[in-house]
Amino acid sequence: MRYEEEIPDREYFVAPRRARRRRRISYRTLLLCAVLFLSGLLLGRALAAEVDIEGGSHLGGTSAGPEPVQAIAPVVDQKKDPEEWQLLLVNKDHLLNEDYKIPEMTKLRNGHSVDSRIYPDLQRMMDDARAAGLQPLICSSYRTWDKQEELFQRKVNYYLQQGCGRQEAEEKASAWVARPGTSEHQAGLAVDIVDVAYQMLDEQQEQTEVQQWLMEHCAEYGFILRYPTDKSDLTGVSYEPWHYRYVGKEAAAEIMEQGLCLEEYLSGQDDVS
Ligand SMILES: [Zn+2]
C-alpha cells in the first residue's frame, strides 16, 4: 500500500535553501534596498512572523524579531490528558476527529506548519543535523483536512476517469493517498524530511546521509521513524524512510530501541482498540 507521501507534490520540492540563499544574497542586497524602500515595514513584518527552521534557529537567537509562534487555531485540544497528546494514534482504524483542533501552530518558512508543541525539538534536530554537516529538508508537514481531501479526491477522479465505479475508485485511490482523517500530517505531529541531495520519496531515501543520521538520532529529539520497513501489516502503511512522527522522548527511546511501531507501543499501554 502506498500513501500520500508517494505523490511527489511539487510545491514541496523547493530548491535547497543554502544554495538559494547564496544566490539570493547578491540579488537581495540590491532588491531589498528597493523593496524595503517601497514597502518598508510591511515586508519586515510579514517575514518576522515566520520561523526559520530551514536555516538558523530562532531558539538560538540568530534572527531578531517578534515571537515566532503564529497562532492559527487557538482552540483547546480534544485530548484531556496533556501528557498524552503526543501519543495520538492516527491510522486507518483510528481516524482523526473532523473537529480536531491543534492548540497552536508554528509556521515554518516555505509554507510549512507544525503543532507548536513539537517545534522546539524539531528545530533542535534540524540544527544538530546541520551541525553534523548534513542538509535535511522538510518537504511535507501539517496538512489541513481540505488539503488531504483534495489530494484524495484528485486520485479518486483519476480512477473514475479510468472507468472505475465510485467505490472501486476510492479503494484504489486509498492505496496511494491517505483518506482524510487517516493521515498524521493532519494532526501537525509529523514531518517528511529528505536529503537535499536526494529528494525522491522512495526506499532509496534510506541510503542518504540525512536518513542515516535521523534514524540514529531522531529518538533523542522525541521523534520516531513512523513506518518502518517490517511493520506495514501493523501500521497499514508501506515503508517510508522519510516520515518522522513526534511522540516525546520517553516513548521515542523505547520505540526506536526496541524496534517497535507506534501501534505496538500503544497496544502495550492501554486502550488502543
Ligand atoms: Zn509523511
Side-chain angles (χ1 to χ4, degrees):
M1 301 293 261
R2 312 303 275 183
Y3 275 80
E4 74 281 10
E5 288 78 12
E6 293 301 313
I7 295 178
D9 203 340
R10 282 167 191 264
E11 69 187 81
Y12 296 133
F13 288 93
V14 295
R17 186 166 185 82
R18 224 173 261 183
R20 283 189 297 147
R21 212 171 235 181
R22 271 191 220 107
R23 282 198 302 274
R24 263 199 220 149
I25 289 171
S26 54
Y27 294 129
R28 249 192 186 171
T29 311
L30 295 170
L31 268 175
L32 267 183
C33 292
V35 173
L36 282 176
F37 189 73
L38 295 170
S39 55
L41 289 176
L42 208 62
L43 176 66
R45 281 188 183 178
L47 289 175
E50 296 183 345
V51 177
D52 184 17
I53 206 160
E54 296 301 331
S57 168
H58 271 264
L59 304 174
T62 55
S63 301
E67 174 61 44
V69 172
Q70 187 178 66
I72 294 173
V75 186
V76 178
D77 193 316
Q78 68 173 13
K79 289 295 234 182
K80 287 177 182 164
D81 184 349
E83 300 298 313
E84 297 297 314
W85 61 268
Q86 71 272 34
L87 295 178
L88 177 69
L89 182 62
V90 182
N91 60 26
K92 279 187 168 183
D93 300 318
H94 298 80
L95 272 65
L96 197 65
N97 289 338
E98 201 156 352
D99 58 354
Y100 179 79
K101 294 288 187 293
I102 299 166
E104 191 172 58
M105 299 288 291
T106 291
K107 190 175 181 187
L108 318 176
R109 288 204 191 278
N110 69 31
H112 292 294
S113 300
V114 293
D115 185 318
S116 295
R117 294 170 293 190
I118 82 169
Y119 166 68
D121 284 327
L122 176 61
Q123 181 71 66
R124 278 201 313 120
M125 185 165 75
M126 298 294 278
D127 286 346
D128 289 352
R130 291 196 178 91
L134 306 172
Q135 287 189 286
L137 174 73
I138 292 176
C139 64
S140 189
S141 55
Y142 169 67
R143 267 177 230 151
T144 63
W145 194 282
D146 286 347
K147 178 68 179 177
Q148 195 67 36
E149 181 79 46
E150 179 192 324
L151 291 172
F152 185 68
Q153 283 305 325
R154 196 186 297 170
K155 206 70 179 173
V156 170
N157 290 339
Y158 167 79
Y159 285 113
L160 287 174
Q161 285 165 10
Q162 300 295 309
C164 296
R166 168 67 62 178
Q167 190 177 347
E168 187 186 4
E170 289 189 358
E171 279 172 13
K172 285 190 172 182
S174 71
W176 292 89
V177 184
R179 291 177 190 264
T182 69
S183 172
E184 286 188 334
H185 286 285
Q186 294 178 249
L189 300 174
V191 284
D192 293 342
I193 306 175
V194 293
D195 194 317
V196 162
Y198 186 82
Q199 300 184 26
M200 296 298 289
L201 298 181
D202 59 27
E203 294 196 5
Q204 297 298 317
Q205 185 62 232
E206 74 172 5
Q207 304 297 331
T208 65
E209 290 185 336
V210 163
Q211 300 306 340
Q212 295 287 316
W213 190 92
L214 286 174
M215 288 178 192
E216 186 179 346
H217 296 284
C218 66
E220 297 163 24
Y221 306 88
F223 285 85
I224 58 169
L225 184 68
R226 177 68 177 87
Y227 305 115
T229 183
D230 56 346
K231 303 291 182 183
S232 297
D233 53 335
L234 294 170
T235 63
V237 179
S238 58
Y239 181 40
E240 294 195 350
W242 56 83
H243 180 112
Y244 291 87
R245 158 69 195 270
Y246 190 81
V247 293
K249 294 182 184 70
E250 190 182 330
E254 192 172 334
I255 288 170
M256 294 301 286
E257 279 168 18
Q258 297 184 19
L260 305 173
C261 63
L262 186 57
E263 281 79 2
E264 287 174 306
Y265 176 78
L266 291 174
S267 67
Q269 307 249 309
D270 52 2
D271 185 34
V272 172
S273 59

